C-alpha cells in the first residue's frame, strides 16, 4: 500500500515500473518532451541525478507536468469505502470525533476569554483540528492542562513563562511550541538524527505551516533530513494563508509537496479536511519512516476558518463569502456525515456530547482562572542547571525591590516560596 501512496525519489531508488512511467510521461504529447530510450555506454552518469539525455531544447516549468494528487478517503458520496488495511474499532472512531468537538468548544471559550481580557493571546484550530493542539489532546493532555497553560498559573508546566497556546509535555514527548517561525524544523531534524545514531527505532513528527516553509530554515531542514537520512515526518498544513499573506503570494510552484521529490524525500499530499485520510497517511508515513530510516513529507491541504490569532482580523485580507463557503467543508462536518452514514452518530448524541464537553471545559476554565500565579522567583530558575552568579545577583536585586515596594504589587495573587 505504501508503494502506491508515496513517491520514491533519488538515485538508485527507482523501480523499473517507475522508470517506465516517467518515460511514458515525458514522451506524452502533452509535454512535448522527448527522451531517448537508450544511453550510449560511453556517456558519463552525472552524480546526484538519474541521468538521461534529450536532443530537444526545452525549459521546464510547472505547466509541464500534472500537479501532485490529493489523497483522501471521505469523498462526497454516501458510501465511503475504507482501505482494506484501515482497521479501527467503533470506540476509536467515536473518540476521534469527541476530541475534535472538545478542541472546537475549548477554542470558542478561550477565544472569548481573550476578548474579555482574561488571557493575553489565543489561536483557534477551527478547520484544522488535526494540528498540534489536536495531536496533544489525542495523546492525553487534559483540558485542565490546556487551561493552566493559557492562564500561566502555578500549575502550568512552563511556569507561566510561555505565551498562551505554546503547549508542551515532556510526559507525552511533545516539545514545547515556540513563537519564532520555523525554528522547530532544523531542531526536529537534529533530534531525528540523534534518534538515528541511538538506533531506538523511533521517529520525529514536526508540524509547520506553508508560511514557515517559505523560511530558509525549512529548506535547510529538508536538505539535512534527506542527505543524513533522518527518521522524521514533516507535516505541513497548507491552510491558504500565512497570517495575512495568501499562499499564491508565497510561492508559484506546485505547493509544498513538490519540494519533497526535489530534495529526495518520500512525499504525499493529503486532504487535510479529511480526518481519516490524515490518520491513515500519517500512520503509513510513520511506518515507512521507521522501516527505512528516511524522512517523509506530508502536505495537508486545508483552510483556516478562524483568524490567524486574536491579534488578527482576517476579513481585512479575505472575503466573508470565501470563509462561509469553506465552513460547509470543515473536518468536523465531513467526519460527522461519515459517522452518521454508518450508524455511529445521531443528533441526540451530538447534543449530549456538546453539553458534556462544554461543562467540562467551563469547569476547568473556572479553576484555572482562580489558581495563583507562579512565584516570581521562578523567573530566574531553570535557565541553568546550577544558577550562576550573575543570575543569582539579579534575583537578589529583584527580591530587594519587591520587599521595598511590595505595596505596589498584587503579591497575594502569586504563589509564595
Amino acid at each position: 500500500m505504501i508503494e502506491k501512496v508515496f513517491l520514491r525519489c533519488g538515485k538508485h531508488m527507482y523501480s523499473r515500473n517507475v522508470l517506465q512511467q516517467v518515460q511514458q510521461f515525458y514522451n506524452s504529447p502533452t509535454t512535448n518532451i522527448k527522451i531517448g530510450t537508450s544511453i550510449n555506454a560511453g556517456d558519463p552518469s552525472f552524480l546526484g541525478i538519474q541521468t538521461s539525455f534529450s536532443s530537444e531544447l526545452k525549459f521546464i516549468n510547472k505547466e509541464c507536468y500534472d500537479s501532485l494528487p490529493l489523497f483522501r478517503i471521505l469523498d462526497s458520496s454516501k458510501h465511503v469505502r475504507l482501505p482494506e488495511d484501515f482497521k479501527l474499532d467503533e470506540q476509536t472512531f467515536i473518540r476521534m470525533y469527541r476530541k475534535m468537538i472538545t478542541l472546537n468548544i475549548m477554542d470558542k471559550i478561550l477565544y472569548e476569554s481573550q476578548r474579555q481580557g482574561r488571557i493575553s493571546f489565543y489561536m483557534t484550530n477551527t478547520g484544522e483540528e488535526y494540528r498540534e493542539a489536536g495531536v496533544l489532546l489525542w495523546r492525553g493532555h487534559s483540558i485542565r492542562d490546556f487551561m493552566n497553560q493559557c492562564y500561566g498559573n502555578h500549575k502550568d508546566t512552563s511556569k507561566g513563562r510561555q505565551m498562551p497556546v505554546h503547549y508542551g509535555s515532556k510526559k507525552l514527548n511533545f516539545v514545547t511550541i515556540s513563537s519564532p517561525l520555523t525554528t522547530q524544523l532544523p531542531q526536529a531534524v537534529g533530534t531525528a538524527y540523534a534518534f538515528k545514531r541511538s538506533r531506538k527505532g523511533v521517529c520525529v513528527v514536526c508540524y509547520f505551516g506553508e508560511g514557515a516553509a517559505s523560511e530558509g530554515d525549512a529548506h535547510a531542514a529538508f536538505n539535512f533530513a534527506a542527505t543524513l537520512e533522518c527518521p522524521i515526518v514533516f507535516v505541513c498544513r497548507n491552510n491558504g494563508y500565512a497570517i495575512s499573506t495568501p499562499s499564491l503570494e508565497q510561492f508559484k510552484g506546485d505547493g509544498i509537496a513538490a519540494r519533497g521529490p526535489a530534495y529526495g524525500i518520500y512525499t504525499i499530499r493529503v486532504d487535510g479536511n479529511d480526518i481519516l485520510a490524515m490518520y491513515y497517511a500519517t500512520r503509513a508515513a510513520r511506518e515507512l519512516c521507521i522501516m527505512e530510516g528516511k524522512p517523509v513529507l506530508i502536505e495537508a491541504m486545508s483552510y483556516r476558518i478562524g483568524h490567524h490569532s486574536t491579534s488578527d482580523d482576517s476579513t481585512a485580507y479575505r472575503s466573508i463569502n470565501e470563509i462561509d463557503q469553506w465552513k460547509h467543508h470543515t473536518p468536523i462536518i465531513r467526519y460527522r456525515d461519515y459517522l452518521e452514514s454508518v450508524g455511529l452518530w445521531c443528533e441526540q448524541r451530538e447534543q449530549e456530547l456538546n453539553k458534556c464537553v462544554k461543562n467540562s471545559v467551563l469547569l476547568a476554565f473556572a479553576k484555572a482562572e482562580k489558581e495563583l500565579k507562579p512565584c516570581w522567583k521562578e523567573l530566574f530558575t531553570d535557565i541553568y542547571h546550577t544558577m550562576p552568579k550573575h543570575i543569582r545577583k539579579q534575583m537578589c536585586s529583584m527580591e530587594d525591590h519587591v520587599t521595598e515596594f511590595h505595596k505596589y504589587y498584587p503579591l497575594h495573587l502569586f504563589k509564595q516560596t
Side-chain angles (χ1 to χ4, degrees):
M1 183 63 196
I2 293 175
E3 288 289 335
K4 297 179 181 178
V5 173
F6 292 91
L7 301 175
R8 303 198 68 177
C9 338
K11 191 175 181 180
H12 306 308
M13 296 176 64
Y14 290 106
S15 67
R16 180 175 298 178
N17 290 336
V18 173
L19 289 174
Q20 289 176 348
Q21 292 173 7
V22 171
Q23 183 173 326
Q24 290 173 1
F25 166 74
Y26 279 108
N27 287 336
S28 67
T30 57
T31 58
N32 195 31
I33 301 175
K34 305 295 182 183
I35 293 182
T37 57
S38 63
I39 299 176
N40 191 306
D43 289 330
S45 178
F46 293 103
L47 300 178
I49 65 169
Q50 190 73 29
T51 306
S52 60
F53 295 90
S54 172
S55 59
E56 182 176 354
L57 176 65
K58 186 174 179 65
F59 295 95
I60 307 299
N61 58 23
K62 66 177 183 178
E63 281 74 30
C64 293
Y65 60 90
D66 295 331
S67 177
L68 295 180
L70 193 62
F71 173 69
R72 71 176 183 180
I73 294 176
L74 300 178
D75 55 28
S76 57
S77 66
K78 291 293 183 180
H79 303 286
V80 175
R81 294 186 61 183
L82 300 180
E84 293 182 1
D85 58 342
F86 194 106
K87 300 185 184 299
L88 292 177
D89 54 38
E90 293 184 1
Q91 289 74 19
T92 304
F93 278 113
I94 298 300
R95 181 170 177 258
M96 292 172 71
Y97 188 68
R98 287 179 178 273
K99 295 298 183 182
M100 294 169 75
I101 292 295
T102 299
L103 184 61
N104 191 257
I105 291 176
M106 186 176 72
D107 274 351
K108 292 176 182 177
I109 291 174
L110 285 173
Y111 184 87
E112 293 301 322
S113 173
Q114 193 281 334
R115 287 298 186 237
Q116 295 167 6
R118 296 183 173 188
I119 61 176
S120 61
F121 177 82
Y122 196 70
M123 297 178 68
T124 63
N125 303 272
T126 311
E128 303 172 277
E129 282 77 12
Y130 61 89
R131 61 185 294 173
E132 294 91 327
V135 172
L136 193 54
L137 186 64
W138 177 262
R139 286 194 167 195
H141 209 59
S142 69
I143 298 174
R144 187 173 298 178
D145 291 332
F146 283 102
M147 291 294 174
N148 289 336
Q149 197 284 323
C150 287
Y151 272 92
N153 59 43
H154 72 98
K155 291 187 176 180
D156 170 25
T157 55
S158 61
K159 302 179 181 179
R161 292 177 296 197
Q162 280 279 10
M163 290 174 61
V165 305
H166 288 54
Y167 309 117
S169 174
K170 183 177 181 180
K171 179 178 67 175
L172 300 174
N173 296 324
F174 192 97
V175 178
T176 305
I177 299 170
S178 59
S179 286
L181 194 64
T182 324
T183 55
Q184 75 272 27
L185 268 76
Q187 293 167 359
V189 174
T191 302
Y193 185 65
F195 285 161
K196 175 184 178 179
R197 295 290 300 271
S198 65
R199 300 182 180 180
K200 291 184 177 180
V202 296
C203 69
V204 175
V205 179
C206 181
Y207 291 81
F208 58 100
E210 90 286 345
S214 297
E215 293 287 328
D217 276 352
H219 297 276
F222 293 155
N223 200 45
F224 273 123
T227 56
L228 296 176
E229 297 187 344
C230 299
I232 179 172
V233 178
F234 295 105
V235 181
C236 176
R237 52 178 186 279
N238 188 341
N239 61 21
Y241 294 93
I243 306 182
S244 58
T245 307
S247 58
L248 292 175
E249 296 179 13
Q250 297 179 59
F251 47 80
K252 292 298 183 183
D254 184 25
I256 307 303
R259 303 179 189 179
Y263 279 106
I265 298 176
Y266 288 102
T267 302
I268 185 172
R269 176 176 285 156
V270 184
D271 183 351
N273 285 359
D274 180 348
I275 192 66
L276 295 184
M278 282 300 300
Y279 175 89
Y280 188 69
T282 304
R283 187 184 69 178
R286 178 183 179 277
E287 293 174 357
L288 178 64
C289 185
I290 293 177
M291 179 178 63
E292 297 205 10
K294 295 178 182 179
V296 179
L297 171 62
I298 299 175
E299 182 182 23
M301 305 302 297
S302 63
Y303 185 83
R304 170 165 53 83
I305 298 294
H307 305 300
H308 175 267
S309 67
T310 49
S311 302
D312 173 49
D313 177 11
S314 63
T315 60
Y317 53 82
R318 59 179 181 175
S319 69
I320 295 178
N321 290 337
E322 178 183 304
I323 301 173
D324 289 340
Q325 180 183 4
W326 278 98
K327 284 182 178 180
H328 300 290
H329 304 279
T330 63
I332 287 180
I333 290 177
R334 290 176 62 181
Y335 190 45
R336 180 184 172 180
D337 287 344
Y338 169 73
L339 293 180
E340 289 179 343
S341 70
V342 295
L344 293 179
W345 205 249
C346 63
E347 181 59 30
Q348 181 180 349
R349 298 188 70 176
E350 180 78 13
Q351 294 178 5
E352 292 173 352
L353 175 62
N354 277 271
K355 182 178 179 180
C356 178
V357 170
K358 186 174 183 180
N359 289 339
S360 298
V361 173
L362 287 174
L363 180 62
F365 168 85
K367 289 183 177 180
E369 192 172 35
K370 294 177 182 178
E371 294 286 354
L372 294 174
K373 298 296 182 183
C375 177
W376 62 266
K377 286 187 178 181
E378 290 184 324
L379 284 169
F380 304 94
T381 59
D382 300 330
I383 300 174
Y384 297 92
H385 183 268
T386 301
M387 187 179 293
K389 292 181 180 180
H390 71 285
I391 298 295
R392 186 171 296 279
K393 182 179 179 180
Q394 293 176 25
M395 187 173 71
C396 292
S397 177
M398 180 70 176
E399 189 170 16
D400 293 339
H401 175 83
V402 172
T403 301
E404 182 177 357
F405 299 101
H406 63 90
K407 64 180 179 180
Y408 297 103
Y409 294 98
L411 297 179
H412 65 284
L413 299 179
F414 292 77
K415 188 178 180 181
Q416 303 302 309
T417 55

